[in-house]
Coordinates of all heavy atoms in Angstrom, one line a residue:
M1 N -28.2 -2.2 -13.7 CA -28.0 -1.9 -12.3 C -27.6 -0.5 -12.2 O -26.9 0.2 -13.0 CB -26.8 -2.8 -11.9 CG -26.3 -2.6 -10.5 SD -25.0 -3.8 -10.1 CE -25.7 -4.3 -8.5
P2 N -28.3 0.1 -11.2 CA -28.0 1.7 -10.9 C -26.7 1.9 -10.4 O -26.0 1.1 -9.8 CB -29.0 1.9 -9.8 CG -29.6 0.7 -9.3 CD -29.2 -0.4 -10.2
R3 N -26.1 3.0 -10.8 CA -24.8 3.4 -10.6 C -24.8 4.0 -9.2 O -25.7 4.7 -8.8 CB -24.3 4.5 -11.7 CG -23.1 5.0 -11.4 CD -22.8 6.2 -12.5 NE -21.5 6.7 -12.2 CZ -20.5 6.7 -13.1 NH1 -20.8 6.4 -14.4 NH2 -19.4 7.2 -12.9
D4 N -23.7 3.8 -8.5 CA -23.5 4.4 -7.2 C -23.4 5.9 -7.4 O -22.8 6.4 -8.2 CB -22.2 3.9 -6.4 CG -22.4 2.4 -6.0 OD1 -23.3 2.2 -5.3 OD2 -21.6 1.6 -6.4
P5 N -23.9 6.6 -6.3 CA -23.8 8.1 -6.5 C -22.4 8.6 -6.5 O -21.5 8.0 -5.7 CB -24.7 8.7 -5.3 CG -25.0 7.5 -4.4 CD -24.7 6.3 -5.2
L6 N -22.2 9.7 -7.1 CA -20.8 10.4 -7.1 C -20.9 11.4 -6.2 O -21.9 12.2 -6.1 CB -20.5 10.8 -8.5 CG -20.4 9.7 -9.6 CD1 -20.3 10.4 -11.0 CD2 -19.1 8.9 -9.3
Y7 N -19.8 11.7 -5.6 CA -19.5 12.9 -4.7 C -18.2 13.6 -5.0 O -17.2 13.0 -5.4 CB -19.5 12.4 -3.2 CG -20.8 11.8 -2.7 CD1 -21.0 10.4 -3.0 CD2 -21.7 12.5 -2.1 CE1 -22.2 9.9 -2.5 CE2 -22.9 11.9 -1.6 CZ -23.1 10.6 -1.8 OH -24.3 9.9 -1.4
I8 N -18.3 14.9 -4.7 CA -17.0 15.6 -4.9 C -16.9 16.4 -3.6 O -17.9 17.0 -3.1 CB -17.0 16.5 -6.2 CG1 -15.5 17.1 -6.4 CG2 -18.0 17.6 -6.2 CD1 -15.3 17.5 -7.8
R9 N -15.7 16.5 -3.1 CA -15.5 17.3 -1.8 C -15.3 18.8 -2.2 O -15.0 19.1 -3.4 CB -14.3 16.8 -1.0 CG -13.0 17.2 -1.6 CD -11.9 17.1 -0.6 NE -10.9 17.9 -1.1 CZ -9.6 17.8 -0.8 NH1 -9.2 16.9 0.1 NH2 -8.7 18.6 -1.3
V10 N -15.6 19.7 -1.2 CA -15.3 21.1 -1.5 C -13.8 21.3 -1.7 O -12.9 20.5 -1.4 CB -15.8 21.9 -0.3 CG1 -17.2 21.7 0.1 CG2 -14.9 21.6 1.0
P11 N -13.5 22.4 -2.4 CA -12.0 22.6 -2.8 C -11.2 22.7 -1.5 O -11.6 23.2 -0.4 CB -12.1 24.0 -3.4 CG -13.5 24.1 -4.0 CD -14.4 23.4 -2.9
E12 N -10.0 22.2 -1.6 CA -9.0 22.2 -0.4 C -8.8 23.6 0.1 O -8.6 23.7 1.4 CB -7.7 21.7 -0.9 CG -6.7 21.5 0.3 CD -7.1 20.5 1.3 OE1 -7.8 19.5 1.0 OE2 -6.6 20.7 2.4
S13 N -8.9 24.6 -0.6 CA -8.7 26.0 -0.2 C -9.8 26.5 0.8 O -9.7 27.4 1.6 CB -8.7 27.0 -1.3 OG -10.0 27.0 -2.0
E14 N -11.0 25.7 0.8 CA -12.1 26.0 1.7 C -11.9 25.3 3.1 O -12.7 25.5 4.1 CB -13.4 25.6 1.1 CG -13.8 26.5 0.0 CD -15.1 26.2 -0.5 OE1 -16.0 25.6 0.3 OE2 -15.5 26.6 -1.6
L15 N -10.9 24.4 3.2 CA -10.8 23.6 4.4 C -9.5 23.9 5.2 O -8.4 24.1 4.6 CB -10.7 22.1 4.1 CG -12.0 21.6 3.3 CD1 -11.8 20.2 3.0 CD2 -13.3 21.8 4.1
V16 N -9.5 23.9 6.5 CA -8.4 24.0 7.4 C -8.4 22.8 8.2 O -9.4 22.7 9.0 CB -8.4 25.4 8.2 CG1 -7.3 25.5 9.1 CG2 -8.5 26.5 7.3
W17 N -7.3 22.0 8.3 CA -7.3 20.7 9.0 C -6.5 21.0 10.3 O -5.4 21.7 10.2 CB -6.6 19.7 8.2 CG -7.3 19.5 6.8 CD1 -7.1 20.1 5.7 CD2 -8.2 18.4 6.6 NE1 -7.9 19.5 4.7 CE2 -8.6 18.5 5.3 CE3 -8.7 17.4 7.4 CZ2 -9.6 17.6 4.7 CZ3 -9.7 16.6 6.9 CH2 -10.0 16.7 5.5
H18 N -6.9 20.3 11.4 CA -6.1 20.3 12.6 C -6.3 19.0 13.3 O -7.3 18.8 14.0 CB -6.5 21.5 13.5 CG -5.6 21.7 14.6 ND1 -4.4 22.3 14.6 CD2 -5.8 21.4 16.0 CE1 -3.8 22.3 15.8 NE2 -4.6 21.7 16.6
P19 N -5.3 18.1 13.1 CA -5.5 16.8 13.7 C -5.2 16.9 15.2 O -4.2 17.6 15.6 CB -4.3 15.9 13.0 CG -3.8 16.7 12.0 CD -4.2 18.2 12.2
L20 N -6.0 16.2 15.9 CA -5.8 16.1 17.4 C -6.1 14.7 17.9 O -7.2 14.1 18.0 CB -7.0 17.0 18.2 CG -6.9 18.4 17.9 CD1 -8.1 19.1 18.5 CD2 -5.6 19.0 18.6
D21 N -5.0 14.0 18.1 CA -5.1 12.5 18.5 C -6.0 11.7 17.6 O -5.8 11.6 16.4 CB -5.4 12.4 20.0 CG -4.3 13.0 20.9 OD1 -3.1 12.9 20.5 OD2 -4.7 13.5 22.0
A22 N -7.2 11.2 18.1 CA -8.0 10.3 17.5 C -9.1 11.1 16.6 O -9.8 10.5 15.9 CB -8.8 9.4 18.4
V23 N -9.0 12.4 16.8 CA -10.0 13.1 16.0 C -9.3 14.2 15.1 O -8.2 14.6 15.4 CB -11.1 13.8 16.9 CG1 -11.9 12.8 17.6 CG2 -10.5 14.9 17.7
T24 N -10.0 14.8 14.2 CA -9.5 15.8 13.3 C -10.5 16.9 13.2 O -11.6 16.7 13.1 CB -9.1 15.3 11.9 OG1 -8.2 14.3 11.9 CG2 -8.6 16.5 11.0
L25 N -10.1 18.2 13.5 CA -10.9 19.4 13.3 C -10.8 19.8 11.9 O -9.7 20.0 11.4 CB -10.6 20.5 14.3 CG -10.5 20.1 15.8 CD1 -10.0 21.3 16.6 CD2 -11.9 19.6 16.3
V26 N -11.9 20.1 11.3 CA -11.9 20.6 9.9 C -12.8 21.9 10.0 O -14.0 21.9 10.2 CB -12.5 19.5 9.0 CG1 -12.5 20.1 7.5 CG2 -11.9 18.2 9.0
Y27 N -12.1 23.1 9.7 CA -12.8 24.2 9.6 C -13.1 24.5 8.1 O -12.3 24.3 7.2 CB -11.9 25.4 10.1 CG -12.5 26.8 10.0 CD1 -13.7 27.1 10.8 CD2 -12.1 27.6 9.0 CE1 -14.2 28.4 10.5 CE2 -12.7 28.9 8.9 CZ -13.8 29.2 9.7 OH -14.3 30.5 9.5
H28 N -14.4 24.7 7.9 CA -15.0 25.0 6.5 C -15.2 26.5 6.4 O -16.0 27.1 7.0 CB -16.3 24.2 6.4 CG -16.9 24.4 5.0 ND1 -18.2 24.3 4.7 CD2 -16.3 24.5 3.8 CE1 -18.4 24.5 3.4 NE2 -17.3 24.6 2.9
R29 N -14.3 27.1 5.7 CA -14.3 28.5 5.6 C -15.5 29.2 5.0 O -16.1 30.1 5.6 CB -13.2 29.0 4.6 CG -11.7 28.8 5.1 CD -10.7 29.2 4.0 NE -9.5 28.6 4.2 CZ -8.5 29.1 4.9 NH1 -8.7 30.3 5.5 NH2 -7.3 28.6 5.0
R30 N -16.2 28.5 4.1 CA -17.4 29.0 3.5 C -18.5 29.1 4.5 O -19.2 30.1 4.5 CB -17.8 28.3 2.2 CG -19.0 28.8 1.5 CD -19.3 28.2 0.2 NE -19.0 26.7 0.2 CZ -19.4 26.0 -0.7 NH1 -19.9 26.4 -1.8 NH2 -19.2 24.6 -0.6
S31 N -18.7 28.0 5.2 CA -19.8 28.0 6.2 C -19.4 28.6 7.5 O -20.3 28.9 8.4 CB -20.3 26.6 6.4 OG -19.3 25.8 7.2
G32 N -18.2 28.7 7.8 CA -17.7 29.2 9.1 C -17.8 28.2 10.3 O -17.7 28.6 11.4
Q33 N -18.1 27.0 9.9 CA -18.3 25.9 10.9 C -17.0 25.1 11.0 O -16.3 24.8 10.0 CB -19.4 25.0 10.5 CG -20.7 25.7 10.6 CD -21.9 24.8 10.3 OE1 -21.8 23.9 9.5 NE2 -23.0 25.1 11.0
T34 N -16.8 24.6 12.3 CA -15.7 23.6 12.5 C -16.4 22.3 12.8 O -17.3 22.1 13.6 CB -14.8 24.1 13.7 OG1 -14.2 25.3 13.4 CG2 -13.8 23.0 14.0
H35 N -15.9 21.3 12.1 CA -16.4 19.9 12.3 C -15.4 19.0 12.9 O -14.2 19.1 12.7 CB -16.8 19.3 10.9 CG -17.8 20.1 10.2 ND1 -19.1 20.2 10.4 CD2 -17.5 21.0 9.2 CE1 -19.7 21.1 9.5 NE2 -18.8 21.6 8.8
I36 N -15.9 18.2 13.9 CA -15.0 17.2 14.5 C -15.2 15.8 13.8 O -16.3 15.3 13.8 CB -15.3 17.1 16.0 CG1 -15.1 18.5 16.7 CG2 -14.4 16.0 16.6 CD1 -15.7 18.5 18.1
V37 N -14.2 15.3 13.2 CA -14.4 14.1 12.5 C -13.3 13.1 12.9 O -12.3 13.4 13.5 CB -14.3 14.3 10.9 CG1 -15.3 15.3 10.4 CG2 -12.9 14.8 10.6
M38 N -13.7 11.8 12.7 CA -12.8 10.7 13.0 C -12.6 9.8 11.7 O -13.3 10.1 10.8 CB -13.5 9.8 14.1 CG -13.8 10.5 15.3 SD -14.7 9.4 16.6 CE -13.4 8.1 16.8
E39 N -11.7 8.9 11.9 CA -11.4 8.0 10.8 C -12.7 7.3 10.4 O -13.5 7.0 11.4 CB -10.4 7.0 11.1 CG -9.0 7.5 11.3 CD -7.9 6.4 11.5 OE1 -8.3 5.2 11.8 OE2 -6.7 6.8 11.6
P40 N -13.0 7.1 9.2 CA -12.3 7.3 8.0 C -12.5 8.6 7.3 O -12.1 8.7 6.1 CB -12.7 6.1 7.2 CG -14.1 6.0 7.4 CD -14.2 6.3 8.9
V41 N -13.1 9.6 7.9 CA -13.6 10.8 7.2 C -12.4 11.5 6.6 O -12.3 11.8 5.4 CB -14.4 11.7 8.1 CG1 -14.6 13.0 7.4 CG2 -15.8 11.1 8.3
P42 N -11.2 11.8 7.4 CA -10.1 12.5 6.8 C -9.5 11.7 5.6 O -9.1 12.3 4.6 CB -9.1 12.6 7.8 CG -9.9 12.5 9.2 CD -11.1 11.6 8.9
Q43 N -9.5 10.5 5.7 CA -8.9 9.6 4.6 C -9.8 9.7 3.4 O -9.3 9.7 2.3 CB -8.7 8.2 5.1 CG -7.6 8.0 6.2 CD -8.1 8.4 7.6 OE1 -9.2 8.8 7.8 NE2 -7.1 8.3 8.6
I44 N -11.1 9.6 3.6 CA -12.1 9.7 2.5 C -11.9 11.0 1.8 O -11.7 11.0 0.5 CB -13.5 9.5 3.0 CG1 -13.8 8.1 3.4 CG2 -14.5 9.9 1.9 CD1 -15.1 8.0 4.1
L45 N -11.9 12.1 2.5 CA -11.7 13.4 1.9 C -10.3 13.6 1.2 O -10.2 14.2 0.1 CB -11.9 14.6 3.0 CG -13.2 14.7 3.5 CD1 -13.4 15.7 4.5 CD2 -14.2 15.2 2.4
S46 N -9.2 13.0 1.8 CA -8.0 13.1 1.2 C -7.9 12.3 -0.3 O -7.4 12.8 -1.1 CB -6.9 12.4 2.1 OG -5.7 12.4 1.5
V47 N -8.5 11.2 -0.2 CA -8.6 10.3 -1.5 C -9.3 11.0 -2.5 O -9.0 11.0 -3.7 CB -9.2 8.9 -1.2 CG1 -9.6 8.2 -2.4 CG2 -8.3 8.1 -0.5
M48 N -10.4 11.7 -2.2 CA -11.3 12.4 -3.1 C -10.5 13.5 -3.9 O -10.7 13.7 -5.0 CB -12.5 12.9 -2.5 CG -13.4 11.8 -2.0 SD -14.8 12.6 -1.1 CE -15.9 13.1 -2.4
Q49 N -9.7 14.2 -3.1 CA -9.0 15.3 -3.6 C -10.1 16.3 -4.4 O -11.0 16.7 -3.8 CB -7.9 15.0 -4.6 CG -6.8 14.3 -3.8 CD -5.6 13.9 -4.6 OE1 -5.4 14.4 -5.8 NE2 -4.7 13.2 -4.1
D50 N -9.9 16.5 -5.7 CA -10.8 17.4 -6.3 C -11.5 16.6 -7.5 O -12.0 17.0 -8.5 CB -10.2 18.7 -7.0 CG -9.0 18.2 -8.0 OD1 -8.8 17.1 -8.2 OD2 -8.5 19.2 -8.6
R51 N -11.7 15.2 -7.3 CA -12.3 14.4 -8.2 C -13.7 13.9 -7.8 O -13.8 13.5 -6.6 CB -11.5 13.2 -8.6 CG -10.2 13.4 -9.3 CD -9.4 12.2 -9.5 NE -9.2 11.3 -8.4 CZ -8.3 11.4 -7.5 NH1 -7.2 12.2 -7.7 NH2 -8.1 10.5 -6.5
A52 N -14.7 13.7 -8.6 CA -15.9 13.1 -8.2 C -15.6 11.6 -8.1 O -15.1 11.1 -9.2 CB -17.0 13.5 -9.2
M53 N -16.1 11.0 -7.1 CA -15.8 9.6 -6.9 C -17.1 8.9 -6.2 O -17.8 9.6 -5.5 CB -14.6 9.3 -6.0 CG -13.3 9.8 -6.5 SD -11.9 9.5 -5.5 CE -11.7 7.8 -5.8
D54 N -17.3 7.6 -6.5 CA -18.3 6.9 -5.8 C -17.7 6.1 -4.6 O -16.5 6.0 -4.5 CB -19.1 6.0 -6.7 CG -18.3 5.0 -7.4 OD1 -17.2 4.5 -7.0 OD2 -18.9 4.4 -8.4
A55 N -18.6 5.6 -3.8 CA -18.0 4.9 -2.6 C -17.2 3.6 -2.9 O -16.1 3.5 -2.3 CB -19.3 4.4 -1.8
P56 N -17.5 2.8 -3.9 CA -16.7 1.7 -4.3 C -15.3 2.1 -4.7 O -14.3 1.5 -4.4 CB -17.5 0.9 -5.4 CG -18.9 1.3 -5.2 CD -18.9 2.7 -4.6
A57 N -15.2 3.2 -5.5 CA -13.9 3.7 -5.9 C -13.1 4.1 -4.7 O -11.9 3.9 -4.8 CB -14.1 4.7 -7.0
I58 N -13.7 4.9 -3.7 CA -13.0 5.3 -2.7 C -12.5 4.1 -1.8 O -11.4 4.1 -1.4 CB -13.9 6.3 -1.8 CG1 -14.1 7.6 -2.6 CG2 -13.2 6.6 -0.4 CD1 -15.1 8.5 -2.0
A59 N -13.5 3.2 -1.6 CA -13.0 1.9 -0.9 C -11.8 1.3 -1.5 O -11.0 0.8 -0.8 CB -14.3 1.0 -0.8
A60 N -11.8 1.2 -2.8 CA -10.8 0.5 -3.5 C -9.4 1.2 -3.3 O -8.4 0.6 -3.0 CB -11.1 0.4 -5.0
R61 N -9.4 2.7 -3.3 CA -8.3 3.4 -3.1 C -7.8 3.3 -1.7 O -6.6 3.2 -1.4 CB -8.6 4.9 -3.4 CG -8.7 5.2 -4.9 CD -7.4 5.2 -5.7 NE -6.4 6.0 -5.2 CZ -6.2 7.3 -5.3 NH1 -7.1 8.0 -6.2 NH2 -5.2 8.0 -4.8
L62 N -8.7 3.3 -0.7 CA -8.3 3.3 0.8 C -7.8 1.7 1.0 O -6.8 1.6 1.8 CB -9.5 3.4 1.6 CG -9.9 4.9 1.6 CD1 -11.2 5.1 2.4 CD2 -8.8 5.8 2.2
A63 N -8.2 0.8 0.4 CA -7.7 -0.6 0.5 C -6.3 -0.7 0.0 O -5.6 -1.6 0.6 CB -8.6 -1.6 -0.3
E64 N -5.7 0.1 -0.7 CA -4.4 0.2 -1.3 C -3.5 0.5 0.0 O -2.4 0.0 0.0 CB -4.2 1.1 -2.3 CG -4.9 0.8 -3.7 CD -4.7 1.8 -4.7 OE1 -4.0 2.8 -4.6 OE2 -5.4 1.7 -5.8
D65 N -4.0 1.4 0.8 CA -3.2 1.8 1.9 C -3.5 1.3 3.3 O -2.7 1.4 4.3 CB -3.2 3.2 2.0 CG -2.6 4.0 0.7 OD1 -1.6 3.4 0.2 OD2 -3.1 5.1 0.3
Y66 N -4.7 0.7 3.5 CA -5.2 0.4 4.8 C -5.8 -1.1 4.7 O -6.3 -1.5 3.6 CB -6.3 1.3 5.2 CG -5.8 2.7 5.4 CD1 -6.2 3.6 4.3 CD2 -5.2 3.1 6.5 CE1 -5.7 5.0 4.5 CE2 -4.8 4.5 6.6 CZ -5.0 5.4 5.7 OH -4.6 6.7 5.7
D67 N -5.7 -1.7 5.7 CA -6.3 -3.1 5.9 C -7.8 -3.0 6.2 O -8.1 -2.9 7.4 CB -5.6 -3.9 6.9 CG -6.0 -5.3 6.9 OD1 -6.6 -5.9 5.9 OD2 -5.8 -6.0 8.0
L68 N -8.6 -2.8 5.2 CA -10.1 -2.7 5.4 C -10.7 -4.0 5.8 O -10.4 -4.9 5.2 CB -10.8 -2.1 4.2 CG -10.3 -0.7 3.7 CD1 -11.1 -0.4 2.3 CD2 -10.6 0.3 4.7
P69 N -11.5 -3.9 6.8 CA -12.2 -5.2 7.1 C -13.1 -5.6 5.9 O -13.5 -5.0 5.0 CB -13.3 -4.8 8.2 CG -13.2 -3.3 8.3 CD -12.0 -2.8 7.4
Q70 N -13.3 -7.0 5.9 CA -14.0 -7.6 4.8 C -15.5 -7.4 4.7 O -16.1 -7.8 3.9 CB -13.7 -9.2 4.8 CG -12.3 -9.5 4.5 CD -11.9 -8.9 3.1 OE1 -12.5 -9.0 2.1 NE2 -10.7 -8.2 3.1
I71 N -16.0 -6.5 5.7 CA -17.4 -6.2 5.6 C -17.6 -5.2 4.5 O -16.5 -4.8 3.9 CB -17.9 -5.6 7.0 CG1 -17.0 -4.4 7.4 CG2 -17.9 -6.6 8.1 CD1 -17.5 -3.7 8.6
D72 N -18.7 -4.8 4.2 CA -18.9 -3.9 3.1 C -18.4 -2.5 3.3 O -19.2 -1.7 3.7 CB -20.5 -3.9 2.8 CG -20.8 -3.3 1.4 OD1 -19.8 -2.9 0.7 OD2 -21.8 -3.2 1.0
A73 N -17.1 -2.3 3.0 CA -16.4 -1.1 3.2 C -17.2 0.0 2.4 O -17.3 1.2 2.8 CB -15.0 -1.1 2.8
A74 N -17.6 -0.3 1.1 CA -18.3 0.7 0.3 C -19.5 1.2 0.9 O -20.0 2.4 0.8 CB -18.6 0.1 -1.1
A75 N -20.3 0.3 1.6 CA -21.6 0.8 2.2 C -21.3 1.8 3.4 O -21.9 2.8 3.5 CB -22.3 -0.4 2.7
I76 N -20.3 1.4 4.2 CA -19.8 2.3 5.3 C -19.4 3.6 4.7 O -19.8 4.7 5.2 CB -18.7 1.7 6.1 CG1 -19.4 0.4 6.8 CG2 -18.2 2.7 7.1 CD1 -18.2 -0.5 7.6
I77 N -18.6 3.6 3.7 CA -18.1 4.9 3.1 C -19.3 5.7 2.4 O -19.3 6.9 2.6 CB -16.9 4.5 2.1 CG1 -15.6 4.0 2.7 CG2 -16.5 5.8 1.2 CD1 -14.6 3.5 1.9
G78 N -20.1 4.9 1.8 CA -21.3 5.6 1.3 C -22.1 6.3 2.3 O -22.5 7.5 2.1
A79 N -22.3 5.8 3.5 CA -23.0 6.4 4.6 C -22.2 7.7 5.0 O -22.7 8.8 5.4 CB -23.1 5.5 5.8
R80 N -20.8 7.6 5.1 CA -20.1 8.8 5.5 C -20.2 9.9 4.4 O -20.2 11.1 4.8 CB -18.6 8.3 5.6 CG -18.2 7.4 6.8 CD -18.5 7.8 8.2 NE -19.8 7.7 8.5 CZ -20.5 6.5 8.9 NH1 -19.8 5.4 8.9 NH2 -21.7 6.5 9.2
L81 N -20.2 9.5 3.2 CA -20.4 10.5 2.1 C -21.7 11.2 2.2 O -21.7 12.5 1.9 CB -20.3 9.8 0.7 CG -18.9 9.3 0.3 CD1 -18.9 8.4 -0.9 CD2 -17.9 10.5 0.1
E82 N -22.7 10.5 2.5 CA -24.0 11.2 2.7 C -23.9 12.2 3.9 O -24.4 13.3 3.8 CB -25.1 10.1 3.0 CG -25.5 9.4 1.9 CD -26.3 10.2 0.8 OE1 -27.1 11.3 1.2 OE2 -26.1 10.1 -0.4
E83 N -23.2 11.7 5.0 CA -23.0 12.7 6.1 C -22.2 13.9 5.7 O -22.5 15.1 6.2 CB -22.4 12.0 7.2 CG -23.2 10.9 7.9 CD -22.5 9.9 8.8 OE1 -21.3 10.1 9.0 OE2 -23.1 9.1 9.5
L84 N -21.2 13.7 4.9 CA -20.3 14.7 4.5 C -21.1 15.8 3.6 O -20.9 16.9 3.6 CB -19.1 14.3 3.7 CG -18.0 13.5 4.6 CD1 -17.0 12.8 3.7 CD2 -17.4 14.6 5.5
A85 N -22.0 15.2 2.7 CA -22.8 16.0 2.0 C -23.8 16.9 2.8 O -24.0 18.1 2.6 CB -23.7 15.3 0.9
A86 N -24.3 16.3 3.9 CA -25.2 17.0 4.7 C -24.5 18.1 5.5 O -25.0 19.2 5.8 CB -25.8 16.0 5.8
L87 N -23.1 17.9 5.8 CA -22.4 18.9 6.4 C -21.9 20.0 5.5 O -21.3 21.0 5.9 CB -21.2 18.2 7.1 CG -21.4 17.3 8.3 CD1 -20.2 16.6 8.7 CD2 -22.1 18.1 9.4
G88 N -22.0 19.8 4.2 CA -21.5 20.8 3.2 C -20.0 20.6 2.9 O -19.4 21.3 2.2
L89 N -19.4 19.5 3.3 CA -17.9 19.2 3.0 C -17.9 18.4 1.7 O -16.7 18.4 1.2 CB -17.3 18.4 4.2 CG -17.2 19.1 5.5 CD1 -16.6 18.3 6.6 CD2 -16.6 20.4 5.4
A90 N -18.9 17.9 1.2 CA -18.9 17.2 -0.1 C -20.3 17.5 -0.7 O -21.2 17.8 0.0 CB -18.7 15.6 0.1
E91 N -20.3 17.2 -2.0 CA -21.5 17.4 -2.7 C -21.8 16.3 -3.6 O -20.9 15.7 -4.3 CB -21.4 18.7 -3.6 CG -22.7 19.0 -4.3 CD -22.4 20.2 -5.3 OE1 -21.3 21.0 -5.0 OE2 -23.2 20.5 -6.1
R92 N -23.0 15.8 -3.7 CA -23.5 14.7 -4.5 C -23.7 15.4 -5.9 O -24.2 16.4 -6.1 CB -24.8 14.1 -4.1 CG -25.2 12.9 -4.7 CD -26.3 12.2 -4.0 NE -26.7 11.0 -4.7 CZ -27.5 10.1 -4.2 NH1 -28.0 10.4 -3.0 NH2 -27.8 9.0 -4.8
V93 N -23.1 14.7 -6.9 CA -23.1 15.2 -8.3 C -23.7 14.2 -9.2 O -23.4 13.0 -9.0 CB -21.7 15.7 -8.8 CG1 -21.2 16.9 -7.9 CG2 -20.7 14.6 -8.7
S94 N -24.2 14.6 -10.3 CA -24.7 13.7 -11.4 C -23.4 13.3 -12.2 O -22.4 14.1 -12.4 CB -25.7 14.4 -12.1 OG -25.2 15.4 -13.0
P95 N -23.6 12.2 -12.9 CA -22.4 11.9 -13.9 C -22.1 12.9 -14.9 O -21.0 13.0 -15.2 CB -22.9 10.6 -14.4 CG -23.9 9.9 -13.5 CD -24.5 11.1 -12.8
G96 N -23.1 13.6 -15.3 CA -22.8 14.6 -16.3 C -22.1 15.8 -15.7 O -21.4 16.6 -16.4
Q97 N -22.1 16.1 -14.4 CA -21.3 17.1 -13.7 C -20.0 16.7 -13.4 O -19.2 17.5 -13.1 CB -22.1 17.6 -12.4 CG -23.4 18.2 -12.5 CD -24.1 18.4 -11.2 OE1 -24.3 17.4 -10.5 NE2 -24.1 19.6 -10.7
A98 N -19.7 15.5 -13.4 CA -18.4 14.8 -13.0 C -17.5 14.6 -14.0 O -17.1 13.4 -14.4 CB -18.7 13.5 -12.1
D99 N -16.8 15.6 -14.7 CA -16.0 15.5 -15.7 C -14.7 14.8 -15.1 O -14.2 15.1 -14.2 CB -15.5 16.8 -16.3 CG -16.6 17.6 -16.9 OD1 -17.6 16.9 -17.5 OD2 -16.6 18.8 -17.0
G100 N -14.3 13.7 -15.8 CA -13.1 12.9 -15.4 C -13.4 12.2 -14.1 O -12.3 11.9 -13.4
A101 N -14.7 11.9 -13.6 CA -14.9 11.3 -12.4 C -14.3 9.8 -12.4 O -14.3 9.1 -13.4 CB -16.4 11.3 -12.2
E102 N -13.9 9.4 -11.2 CA -13.5 8.0 -11.1 C -14.7 7.4 -10.3 O -14.9 7.6 -9.2 CB -12.3 8.0 -10.1 CG -10.9 8.2 -10.7 CD -9.8 8.1 -9.7 OE1 -10.0 7.2 -8.9 OE2 -8.8 8.7 -9.9
G103 N -15.3 6.6 -10.9 CA -16.5 6.0 -10.4 C -16.7 4.5 -10.8 O -15.8 4.0 -11.4
G104 N -17.7 3.9 -10.5 CA -18.0 2.6 -10.8 C -18.4 2.5 -12.2 O -18.5 3.5 -13.0
P105 N -18.7 1.3 -12.7 CA -19.1 1.1 -14.1 C -20.3 1.9 -14.5 O -21.2 2.1 -13.9 CB -19.3 -0.4 -14.3 CG -19.4 -1.0 -12.9 CD -18.8 0.0 -12.0

């Protein structure tokens, strides 16, 4: 069975966070862009810290603190990870690049 892709977020030093009610502004220093994000994006990035993780591992960590719906949370998180990679806030990495990665089997 194929392994879920691993992602790592950009270093915290590259991000400036500004929560505003239901949205969060994230300024990415390297690109000079400000992104407007909503839940669960800030939570996903927070869980990742500086570790490469896959969507099921992130879903499991978020389930510890939040009441996730029984729908496929990993699929939803996987879609958000692809979006974060497209924005430059996360990067898809190969298992060989992910030293100490928390991922699926």
Side-chain angles (χ1 to χ4, degrees):
M1 177 175 226
R3 180 183 177 126
D4 287 302
L6 295 171
Y7 296 84
I8 191 162
R9 77 163 198 202
V10 298
E12 183 65 29
S13 62
E14 292 186 19
L15 303 175
V16 178
W17 300 85
H18 190 76
L20 294 171
D21 297 323
V23 300
T24 300
L25 303 178
V26 182
Y27 176 69
H28 184 208
R29 293 177 198 268
R30 184 172 40 170
S31 71
Q33 294 183 327
T34 299
H35 304 282
I36 301 170
V37 298
M38 297 177 64
E39 291 184 355
V41 171
Q43 292 80 1
I44 290 170
L45 291 171
S46 177
V47 164
M48 293 173 76
Q49 296 180 11
D50 61 356
R51 296 181 307 268
M53 298 178 77
D54 62 18
I58 294 170
R61 289 286 307 275
L62 289 174
E64 294 173 10
D65 296 327
Y66 301 97
D67 184 24
L68 295 180
Q70 292 303 310
I71 58 173
D72 192 0
I76 293 168
I77 290 169
R80 297 299 80 77
L81 289 168
E82 285 293 321
E83 292 168 358
L84 289 169
L87 293 173
L89 297 178
E91 179 182 347
R92 193 172 181 166
V93 296
S94 68
Q97 294 174 292
D99 296 331
E102 283 187 27

